[in-house]
Amino acid sequence: MVFDNILETIGKTPLVRLNNVVSHIPATVYAKLEAFNPGLSAKDRIALHMIERAERMGKLRPGGTVVDATSGNTGFSLAMVCAIKGYRCILTVTSKISEDKLNNLRAMGAEVELCPQDVQPDDPRSYYRRAEQIAKEIPGAYYINQNFNPDNGEAHYLSTGPEIWEQTAGRVSWIIGSASTGGTLCGSARYLREQNPGLKVVAVDAYGSVLKKYHETGVYDINEIYPYRIEGTGKNIIPANVDFELIDRFVKVTDQDSAVKARLIARREGILAGYSSGAALQCLDQIKGELTEKDVVVLIFADHGCKYVSKVFSDAWMQTQGFMPETEPALADLPQVAV
Ligand SMILES: Cc1ncc(COP(=O)(O)O)c(C=O)c1O
């Protein structure tokens, strides 16, 4: 297959059955491998859609500037789209970002401003406020605002959701994925729920995020906010792209369990997926009692593990965090899977 540019390769990612890591789960489990996008994450889909919508609405013109606050993946995808379309790309990120991700953004030509991680979202130093401010100061700049931009969720409503429906031949009964802006899970799930009103939607949340409590009580509680390690899971604000009515429940997972699961996915499935993919598998483990053999579960594996080689996939980092399990399965322990 031949493409005119890299952007044409976005989407149509594979759905791959998980075997060894779910042998104790009474359901058929698939992973939607968003790392197959050219920018190695689901965010390629929204970057292209949000920028092209802004172009169509006259909010972004040739020679313009794209600005956003992003923990990394959206920034990389925006930088990729900007490189092809000739826009300047300015990104604000929190100091939690891994060095790998930071270098990747710069390699893609983005200008990056590092903002403190431990400030309130409405603090002028926060990465949200800085992005807003930068976009106001630069003529012709467009603030992407992925948390509140409906084109984020729409990108997944138009592509990821229909792909999952088609790939499972309409059999999908559960969808599980991290919610951060909410676009990936809620956009996909909105389409799937329209096809199957019985679809169960489970959002993975982190300890240190406000989302689960907000879903259960309607209270935005700043006491829920504290630093955590998983990237792309949970939030310290309430993004408009999280559709709380669509989501059946939020499940919190720990940094350690999610890291250990990400490593297990690599060793047992041969898939080097990101930290939040480990979180999705951990979430599945925590709700497995609710599943039956008839269920078809889709886990969103949002990005690629190569983005975490100095974190989750570094033994030294795991040991520093106190996350390293005493034993991890060696290749010799692998059960044989019929192929
Ligand atoms: C690695 C990773 N996983 C999951 C997500 C969650 O996606 P969304 O922002 O669409 O909720 C993100 C987004 O920040 C991410 O970067």
Side-chain angles (χ1 to χ4, degrees):
M1 224 181 283
V2 173
F3 300 92
D4 278 339
N5 64 56
I6 194 71
L7 304 182
E8 291 185 0
T9 70
I10 294 173
K12 300 195 174 66
T13 55
L15 191 71
V16 174
R17 185 162 182 178
L18 299 181
N19 300 288
N20 298 318
V21 294
V22 294
S23 50
H24 59 299
I25 307 263
T28 305
V29 182
Y30 293 101
K32 181 71 170 156
L33 297 187
E34 288 297 290
F36 274 70
N37 284 300
L40 310 181
S41 87
K43 297 296 187 174
D44 285 358
R45 299 177 190 260
I46 69 163
L48 182 61
H49 191 65
M50 292 188 298
I51 285 179
E52 293 196 333
R53 290 280 282 186
E55 288 172 341
R56 284 200 290 277
M57 283 154 46
K59 292 181 178 171
L60 193 53
R61 296 180 189 282
T65 300
V66 168
V67 185
D68 206 13
T70 163
S71 61
N73 278 328
T74 303
F76 187 78
S77 301
L78 288 171
M80 180 178 72
V81 178
C82 288
I84 297 294
K85 289 177 173 277
Y87 299 119
R88 184 180 175 196
C89 181
I90 304 178
L91 307 169
T92 60
V93 301
T94 67
S95 46
K96 181 165 84 166
I97 189 173
S98 71
E99 207 181 324
D100 314 327
K101 277 189 177 178
L102 190 59
N103 288 336
N104 282 336
L105 294 179
R106 291 188 170 138
M108 222 40 161
E111 298 163 47
V112 183
E113 181 174 309
L114 279 176
C115 302
Q117 176 188 338
D118 304 330
V119 295
Q120 295 301 323
D122 54 0
D123 186 301
R125 295 167 297 164
S126 82
Y127 75 140
Y128 304 120
R129 292 288 90 82
R130 280 298 301 147
E132 222 171 49
Q133 190 57 30
I134 291 167
K136 273 188 200 146
E137 285 165 5
I138 297 176
Y142 176 64
Y143 178 33
I144 290 278
N145 199 3
Q146 63 164 333
N147 289 298
F148 294 92
N149 186 336
D151 302 332
N152 170 355
E154 189 181 73
H156 292 287
Y157 176 83
L158 293 173
S159 64
T160 322
E163 286 174 28
I164 293 171
W165 185 250
E166 201 179 303
Q167 287 167 318
T168 60
R171 291 184 309 123
V172 57
S173 57
W174 290 71
I175 182 166
I176 301 176
S178 284
S180 183
T181 69
T184 313
L185 181 69
C186 297
S188 309
R190 187 157 60 88
Y191 177 87
L192 294 170
R193 182 66 70 66
E194 281 173 10
Q195 316 309 311
N196 170 12
L199 178 85
K200 293 275 193 301
V201 182
V202 180
V204 187
D205 197 15
Y207 289 94
S209 154
V210 297
L211 297 179
K212 182 172 192 283
K213 180 157 188 186
Y214 186 80
H215 185 241
E216 289 167 4
T217 65
V219 174
Y220 171 73
D221 183 357
I222 57 163
N223 296 317
E224 291 282 304
I225 302 172
Y226 50 83
Y228 56 90
R229 296 286 170 216
I230 319 172
E231 293 166 46
T233 302
K235 233 8 174 208
N236 57 356
I237 57 169
I238 307 296
N241 277 306
V242 179
D243 181 342
F244 288 92
E245 289 194 5
L246 189 72
I247 293 168
D248 290 294
R249 56 192 281 215
F250 280 78
V251 173
K252 290 220 184 209
V253 295
T254 68
D255 290 341
Q256 178 170 15
D257 288 339
S258 305
V260 169
K261 283 292 196 301
R263 293 167 67 99
L264 197 67
I265 293 165
R267 285 173 184 237
R268 297 216 142 181
E269 301 289 344
I271 300 170
L272 193 68
Y275 204 168
S276 68
S277 307
L281 181 63
Q282 175 59 28
C283 172
L284 176 73
D285 249 3
Q286 291 177 208
I287 63 150
K288 64 177 184 279
E290 297 168 43
L291 300 169
T292 72
E293 279 171 12
K294 285 191 194 141
D295 283 312
V296 174
V297 184
V298 171
L299 305 182
I300 308 273
F301 279 11
D303 74 349
H304 200 287
C306 70
K307 301 192 181 212
Y308 307 88
V309 282
S310 61
K311 289 193 166 181
V312 171
F313 299 108
S314 152
D315 289 359
W317 184 85
M318 288 289 284
Q319 271 147 8
T320 312
Q321 301 297 320
F323 289 173
M324 197 69 177
E326 269 174 26
T327 55
E328 285 191 307
L331 284 180
D333 301 334
L334 279 177
Q336 294 299 306
V337 179
V339 285

